Amino acid sequence: MNKYTELIDDYLSGDLSAEEKAEFEGRLQNEKELKEEFELQKQVLQGIRDAGMRSEIKKGFRKASFKRQSGKFLAGLGITLLVFASVWVIQNRSIPHDQANIRHELNEENNKQWSDADKHLMPEIFIVDAERDTVIETKNGIIFTIPANCFLNEKNEVVTGQVELEVKEAMNPMDIMRAGLSTVSDDNLLETGGMFYINARQGGLNLEIAKAKGIYVSIPDRNPGKKMMLFDGKRMPNGKIDWVDPRPFENKINPVDILSLNFYPPHFLDSLSALGFDIKNKNLSDSVYYSFTCEGEDDNFQSDWPDETTARSDSTKVGLHKRVAHTKPNGARLFRKNCSVCHTTDSRKLTGPGLAGMMTRVPGGPWLTQYILNSQKLIKSGDAYANKIYNENGKAVMTVFEGILTERDVKAIINYINSPGQLDRSGSSPCEIEPSRIRAIWDRKLNNTLLATKEFEERLRVIFQNCNHHLLDLYVNNLDKNMFEIDSMAALIMHEDERETGAQFTNFYKRKNGRVAIDESHMRELQRYVEEKRNLYREAAVKALRNLYANEKIKDAQALEELLKQDAAENNRRATVFEEEVKANMNEAYRQLGRTGDTPPPVNSNYLGITINNTGWKNVDVFVRESATTRTTMDYTDTATGRKATIKYGLFSVKVNDFDKYERVYTYLIADQLSSFLRVPNKGNIFKENLNGLFKYSVVVFGFSGKDIYFTEIKEAGPGQQNVSLVKMPDADLERYKCLNKVSTADVIRDLKFQLFDQNETKRKQDVAKREQVKNRLWPVVFPCAVEPQGPMK
């Protein structure tokens, strides 16, 4: 693959961020090699003329090495037919001739003879670089693997530069009838699985395929189990095609770009889409999927996990609960996870011996438990029976399970081996196939292996549903084998207690899918790479999850501390301002009643008591305090003197224009005789409060939108309504703001900072709640063995 290919593909597919796109376009102007590669790849995409082409086919143009897969199909160019051995009669229909689909005067044999099918089938045109390994896929799913330097010109010279590849296909009965194609070979009727035509040209001239190279073709097998043959098409004078020279299909499997495959669990993308995520964004889908992990992979797994039903009594903390699997060890699942790759519960031998009747053979007491936990220790100790097993089985070393299995686990496995028909599902683990395992293999380093194939993608869906990661390990650890050999092992294992799954792998085996050539040293290197990456990814995911919840607990505690501090400070500030206003009102009331200088009596431990039955000035403080509390006008008359005291309050309101453009809006009243502000409550875009007639007020309004701050001031506010528009504050720096009343500046800024903190904290908690809702809804999709499997969520 060219070093620029993936970057260019991301740019052409619109997958780059705005910053990455700008950087790429800058490099495009300055780097000649990048520009040349860009123009070539752009032309390749523009060469797809068929509107029915799948959008994802663009990814198939990423150049990859398929040299090991170049077969000897299509040694010459022409019409080919995919057929079966039995008979299927197709009734020909009269179809009007249409010359529009014949693009050149001469056919691939350089003569003017064309068939009815040539005229009626719409071509797909691909522009490929003759000097590069290329994979193309047609709209009906035929995959052509084109090795570099495989095209020859009329002088038998290797062609360089761009080549036009023309493909026509009729892969279903309707297309076959529409094209007027017959299924006759020397007057014998054939059952067809589809037909296709391919030709290559450069400069309008036909090209040949080098016989030592060949183009490898993978054709969808819509009738598995039948022996397919490939026929060449011979045009007849009557416009029909006779099918000649049948050849059996190879059993090779064709690798593709592994990132073009779907390795997510069944229904994951459907469910993610139902939750509102953009599933076309693979980076986003990956980030969600790879965030799932478990604290352990045993059947006694338990870990902290937030739940939607957890009570949240206030807005300052996120509740956690335990998601606990059954603590009773599940012998069936423990056996499948740890033993089934090497052993069966009957007499059949895999890597290790069959285990039927083992209790009659092995020494009694704790010997068997000790052997399963650490057979190597017993072998090294000189134990006779342990060494006998070791030698009889080619000195194959059994895995050391100390630290992995407990004695309770081993006893559960032994009980299961003795009674394999009793399949206990009560201890299902949710963590059989963690996303870290998938992440380790969904990697371009595994391109050109059997994992990078449609065939493995299909098997992986079954593996997900069975939840046995040892089935996955079978394919990862046997990259040099034929696919059907691994299918056979999987079927053998699964027939122990998962007969339905075993039957599925048996059907896979019957297809006889072959192998992708890979040398043993490279296979071992890839296996080490996968295991190393799996451990790193899992450790990173577990660490990230633990850190996530630990950090959120810290943030919850910090938020609670800030809230308590703010509540205490706010209560103290409000009490101070209220008492200041009450005192001012009281002094004015006393003045109006002709009483001045009244002060509270000194504190005395001795009190005198008396019952009174008339009102008088002695109660004026009660009315004054009530008036200040309700912020309503007080009219008080002293019954003894007849004198009146009035404290007036008038309604003030301010309407904020464009109120909806702001995330939050705050309005502060600042009185000339009070030490701090009064925050004005609102209903919609109108803020209302009653003003004390004894004070002069100014008003300041703040609005917040993202990181921007907007404000306005009213120097003198009185009863009535005012409309205001907010203007953007330079630098969005609250510290630079000075209130009209400087005494209140510090309190206003302090309050605004807390309101911003509270706004961000509210958003953080909403994000946490949404994330946990997504996690809990996707949990049974990612880990289907934790609960009953389900379809896409609605």
Side-chain angles (χ1 to χ4, degrees):
M1 185 191 315
N2 185 282
K3 62 182 179 180
Y4 297 121
T5 301
E6 185 173 356
L7 176 62
I8 294 172
D9 183 74
D10 289 341
Y11 175 81
L12 293 174
S13 302
D15 293 336
L16 297 181
S17 66
E19 294 79 5
E20 292 170 336
K21 182 179 178 182
E23 181 185 359
F24 175 84
E25 290 172 347
R27 292 180 58 188
L28 202 59
Q29 299 299 320
N30 300 316
E31 298 182 30
K32 181 179 178 182
E33 184 181 358
L34 174 61
K35 186 174 182 180
E36 291 176 352
E37 178 65 20
F38 173 77
E39 291 300 328
L40 172 61
Q41 202 158 330
K42 185 178 178 182
Q43 289 174 18
V44 169
L45 294 181
Q46 289 175 339
I48 305 174
R49 296 180 180 175
D50 192 333
M53 180 66 68
R54 301 183 213 171
S55 60
E56 64 264 27
I57 216 62
K58 293 180 182 179
K59 297 189 180 295
F61 285 91
R62 292 178 176 170
K63 282 67 176 180
S65 175
F66 288 92
K67 293 181 180 178
R68 295 189 180 92
Q69 286 304 302
S70 57
K72 292 187 178 180
F73 282 125
L74 304 182
L77 293 175
I79 302 176
T80 55
L81 170 64
L82 175 61
V83 297
F84 298 121
S86 57
V87 177
W88 176 40
V89 178
I90 295 179
Q91 181 180 359
N92 291 324
R93 296 183 180 180
S94 177
I95 303 176
H97 285 249
D98 183 359
Q99 300 292 335
N101 294 329
I102 297 179
R103 306 178 63 252
H104 298 274
E105 181 181 3
L106 301 180
N107 63 25
E108 74 284 347
E109 295 179 345
N110 290 312
N111 62 57
K112 297 182 180 182
Q113 183 174 344
W114 293 99
S115 70
D116 293 339
D118 294 312
K119 301 171 185 177
H120 298 315
L121 290 176
M122 176 71 71
E124 293 179 70
I125 306 301
F126 302 88
I127 306 300
V128 300
D129 186 336
E131 301 170 75
R132 300 189 180 189
D133 296 324
T134 307
V135 177
I136 63 172
E137 183 177 2
T138 69
K139 66 179 180 180
N140 283 315
I142 301 177
I143 299 172
F144 295 92
T145 302
I146 306 166
N149 304 314
C150 78
F151 295 111
L152 304 176
N153 60 22
E154 58 184 359
K155 298 179 181 179
N156 208 34
E157 299 170 335
V158 174
V159 171
T160 60
Q162 294 183 354
V163 168
E164 178 190 275
L165 204 64
E166 179 181 3
V167 179
K168 296 182 180 182
E169 56 188 347
M171 296 298 292
N172 57 65
M174 184 59 68
D175 287 343
I176 292 171
M177 288 187 289
R178 184 181 294 117
L181 283 161
S182 67
T183 54
V184 177
S185 176
D186 292 331
D187 296 325
N188 295 314
L189 291 177
L190 303 171
E191 179 182 359
T192 182
M195 310 170 187
F196 69 89
Y197 166 85
I198 183 173
N199 195 21
R201 291 183 176 86
Q202 187 179 66
L205 300 178
N206 291 310
L207 302 177
E208 294 287 337
I209 298 176
K211 297 188 185 309
K213 293 277 186 177
I215 294 177
Y216 191 82
V217 186
S218 290
I219 303 170
D221 184 0
R222 295 185 172 90
N223 297 279
K226 296 187 177 181
K227 295 181 178 180
M228 301 170 66
M229 302 283 285
L230 186 73
F231 287 68
D232 287 334
K234 178 181 178 182
R235 293 185 183 88
M236 306 301 291
N238 62 1
K240 304 302 181 182
I241 294 177
D242 190 23
W243 303 103
V244 299
D245 300 329
R247 287 170 289 160
F249 272 80
E250 297 180 13
N251 64 358
K252 291 181 181 179
I253 51 179
N254 188 42
V256 297
D257 182 355
I258 199 168
L259 296 187
S260 71
L261 299 173
N262 180 2
F263 281 7
Y264 296 121
H267 307 308
F268 177 78
L269 289 178
D270 297 337
S271 300
L272 203 61
S273 178
L275 290 169
F277 288 84
D278 178 12
I279 60 175
K280 293 181 180 179
N281 184 341
K282 188 176 186 302
N283 290 333
L284 176 62
S285 301
D286 284 350
S287 67
V288 175
Y289 178 54
Y290 295 146
S291 69
F292 282 85
T293 188
C294 304
E295 292 289 347
E297 289 187 314
D298 56 40
D299 289 274
N300 298 326
F301 166 79
Q302 95 181 357
S303 121
D304 284 335
W305 200 266
D307 186 85
E308 289 182 76
T309 60
T310 303
R312 245 174 110 179
S313 57
D314 57 53
S315 61
T316 62
K317 62 182 180 179
V318 176
L320 298 177
H321 86 294
K322 293 282 186 180
R323 182 188 290 272
V324 184
H326 297 274
T327 57
K328 178 184 176 182
N330 183 318
R333 289 199 174 276
L334 287 170
F335 178 86
R336 285 201 304 275
K337 286 179 59 176
N338 300 285
C339 315
S340 61
V341 173
C342 299
H343 301 278
T344 67
T345 58
D346 56 24
S347 59
R348 290 172 296 172
K349 184 180 184 301
L350 297 179
T351 304
L355 302 179
M358 69 174 181
M359 299 304 294
T360 63
R361 302 192 298 267
V362 302
W367 185 92
L368 183 55
T369 299
Q370 294 172 5
Y371 181 83
I372 292 174
L373 288 174
N374 195 334
S375 63
Q376 296 178 34
K377 184 185 293 185
L378 278 179
I379 292 169
K380 291 178 182 177
S381 72
D383 183 275
Y385 197 81
N387 278 279
K388 179 176 181 292
I389 297 173
Y390 178 65
N391 291 320
E392 286 178 351
N393 291 278
K395 296 187 177 182
V397 179
M398 186 169 162
T399 303
V400 175
F401 290 108
E402 282 183 333
I404 299 174
L405 299 176
T406 66
E407 288 190 9
R408 289 183 67 213
D409 295 332
V410 173
K411 289 178 180 177
I413 292 173
I414 294 172
N415 290 336
Y416 169 70
I417 294 171
N418 290 332
S419 303
Q422 300 177 8
L423 180 58
D424 177 15
R425 297 182 182 275
S426 63
S428 296
S429 165
C431 306
E432 294 284 354
I433 300 179
E434 283 201 300
S436 58
R437 290 185 176 276
I438 301 303
R439 187 179 182 184
I441 65 171
W442 208 356
D443 187 319
R444 281 205 171 104
K445 283 187 178 292
L446 277 298
N447 270 347
N448 299 318
T449 71
L450 61 81
L451 302 184
T453 63
K454 295 281 189 180
E455 289 80 2
F456 174 72
E457 179 187 57
E458 185 178 6
R459 286 153 177 79
L460 184 58
R461 287 196 291 270
V462 179
I463 293 171
F464 270 125
Q465 292 167 349
N466 186 263
C467 308
N468 188 339
H469 74 76
H470 282 294
L471 282 177
L472 176 61
D473 292 342
L474 274 178
Y475 291 88
V476 174
N477 295 333
N478 292 283
L479 299 178
D480 59 336
K481 287 184 170 58
N482 287 306
M483 184 79 82
F484 70 83
E485 294 179 86
I486 310 172
D487 296 336
S488 175
M489 289 188 283
L492 188 63
I493 293 169
M494 286 297 97
H495 271 302
E496 290 295 314
D497 48 28
E498 292 281 5
R499 298 193 179 278
E500 182 179 346
T501 304
Q504 288 177 291
F505 281 100
T506 298
N507 288 332
F508 289 146
Y509 165 75
K510 290 178 180 178
R511 297 181 187 179
K512 292 292 184 177
N513 294 129
R515 63 193 291 267
V516 174
I518 182 172
D519 62 73
E520 185 175 355
S521 62
H522 184 43
M523 182 190 72
R524 300 302 173 198
E525 178 186 343
L526 287 176
Q527 288 171 348
R528 285 193 296 270
Y529 173 82
V530 168
E531 186 62 21
E532 177 185 346
K533 287 297 183 182
R534 186 186 76 83
N535 291 331
L536 287 175
Y537 290 147
R538 187 175 187 283
E539 289 172 6
V542 170
K543 183 178 179 181
L545 188 65
R546 289 173 175 169
N547 289 342
L548 176 67
Y549 289 118
N551 289 337
E552 284 178 354
K553 286 181 179 179
I554 292 172
K555 289 179 180 179
D556 290 339
Q558 291 173 341
L560 179 60
E561 182 180 357
E562 286 294 322
L563 179 62
L564 294 175
K565 283 169 56 178
Q566 173 70 8
D567 283 348
E570 184 65 6
N571 289 337
N572 182 63
R573 188 193 65 77
R574 288 178 179 174
T576 299
V577 171
F578 177 75
E579 291 300 330
E580 289 173 350
E581 185 163 359
V582 168
K583 183 177 179 180
N585 289 353
M586 193 74 73
N587 288 339
E588 176 61 17
Y590 285 162
R591 184 191 67 76
Q592 293 180 35
L593 294 172
R595 300 186 60 83
T596 57
D598 291 85
T599 57
V603 176
N604 196 315
S605 59
N606 297 318
Y607 293 90
L608 297 174
I610 188 172
T611 301
I612 61 173
N613 50 23
N614 66 310
T615 60
W617 70 266
K618 55 185 171 292
N619 288 329
V620 70
D621 57 339
V622 175
F623 288 97
V624 170
R625 184 170 291 273
E626 181 181 353
S627 175
T629 301
T630 61
R631 305 194 67 76
T632 56
T633 297
M634 180 197 79
D635 287 312
Y636 174 79
T637 301
D638 186 343
T639 57
T641 64
R643 301 189 69 168
K644 293 184 177 181
T646 301
I647 304 296
K648 292 185 177 181
Y649 283 87
L651 179 62
F652 162 81
S653 64
V654 58
K655 180 179 180 181
V656 179
N657 299 324
D658 300 322
F659 179 84
D660 292 337
K661 78 177 263 189
Y662 306 106
E663 295 165 11
R664 289 194 179 189
V665 178
Y666 302 100
T667 298
Y668 297 92
L669 279 174
I670 302 169
D672 60 342
Q673 297 180 40
L674 301 180
S675 62
S676 192
F677 63 83
L678 181 68
R679 192 182 319 119
V680 184
N682 70 298
K683 185 174 183 181
N685 64 341
I686 299 179
F687 294 77
K688 296 180 179 181
E689 187 57 274
N690 289 317
L691 305 184
N692 191 322
L694 299 179
F695 305 147
K696 292 181 179 180
Y697 289 94
S698 58
V699 178
V700 60
V701 184
F702 287 91
F704 296 89
S705 178
K707 296 181 179 180
D708 296 327
I709 303 176
Y710 299 79
F711 80 109
T712 192
E713 294 178 332
I714 302 174
K715 293 184 179 181
E716 295 183 7
Q721 178 174 307
Q722 295 195 37
N723 293 353
V724 298
S725 295
L726 308 185
V727 296
K728 190 174 179 180
M729 179 183 289
D731 302 325
D733 188 357
L734 286 173
E735 297 292 350
R736 296 187 181 184
Y737 176 72
K738 302 297 181 184
C739 291
L740 295 173
N741 182 340
K742 295 182 180 180
V743 177
S744 298
T745 297
D747 286 346
V748 169
I749 292 176
R750 189 181 302 113
D751 186 74
L752 283 171
K753 285 184 175 180
F754 176 78
Q755 299 306 325
L756 288 175
F757 170 81
D758 185 58
Q759 175 179 327
N760 293 333
E761 184 63 16
T762 298
K763 185 178 184 304
R764 181 184 74 85
K765 287 166 184 169
Q766 289 172 344
D767 291 342
V768 168
K770 180 179 179 181
R771 184 197 69 214
E772 298 310 325
Q773 181 186 35
V774 169
K775 285 243 179 214
N776 279 277
R777 290 187 65 190
L778 288 176
W779 179 271
V781 179
V782 176
F783 299 123
C785 291
V787 295
E788 288 299 318
Q790 63 183 42
M793 291 175 290
K794 304 299 182 184

